[in-house]
Amino acid sequence: MSKVQDSKRSAIRSYAVGYGLALVLTGLAFATVHWRLFDRGAIWPVVLALGLVQALVHFRCFLHISLRRSARDDLLLILFTTLIIILMASGTLVILRNLHMRMM
């Protein structure tokens, strides 16, 4: 086979594996909450962990971001964007919590 056909098959295989893993991880998260597979206090960390694993699956299978030297710039850009979003969301939560405490 030619290199073009091999690369197409590899890409399709990557998308199929990513789609399957995304479905399984989403199903596990919903099942964990719906059937209460863990204690009440452990459900949130389990769902968070499943979400992080799913994000890694999306990075690897759909965005084709790996730890190779050529893809590290893209990875750093995504990690920086994630850091900014986390800072903005956590700052918003701190402000809302402060406003809630002042109103009560």
Side-chain angles (χ1 to χ4, degrees):
M1 277 194 253
S2 69
K3 286 189 175 192
V4 174
Q5 288 176 338
D6 284 343
S7 67
K8 284 182 181 179
R9 285 182 190 226
S10 175
I12 290 172
R13 188 178 306 123
S14 174
Y15 291 136
V17 167
Y19 182 69
L21 286 173
L23 282 177
V24 167
L25 290 169
T26 301
L28 283 173
F30 276 104
T32 299
V33 173
H34 181 70
W35 288 309
R36 299 190 190 274
L37 298 176
F38 297 97
D39 295 345
R40 188 174 183 94
I43 287 178
W44 288 110
V46 169
V47 171
L48 178 67
L50 288 171
L52 289 175
V53 170
Q54 189 165 9
L56 293 175
V57 166
H58 285 213
F59 285 151
R60 179 67 185 108
C61 295
F62 299 121
L63 298 176
H64 303 292
I65 297 196
S66 62
L67 295 177
R68 289 178 293 168
R69 188 164 287 303
S70 63
R72 285 190 185 163
D73 292 337
D74 295 336
L75 182 62
L76 287 175
L77 180 65
I78 289 170
L79 291 175
F80 180 71
T81 304
T82 304
L83 175 69
I84 296 299
I85 290 171
I86 288 172
L87 286 173
M88 288 175 56
S90 62
T92 302
L93 290 175
V94 166
I95 290 169
L96 289 175
R97 175 80 176 162
N98 188 3
L99 287 174
H100 177 73
M101 296 304 285
R102 288 176 182 237
M103 297 206 42
M104 292 297 150

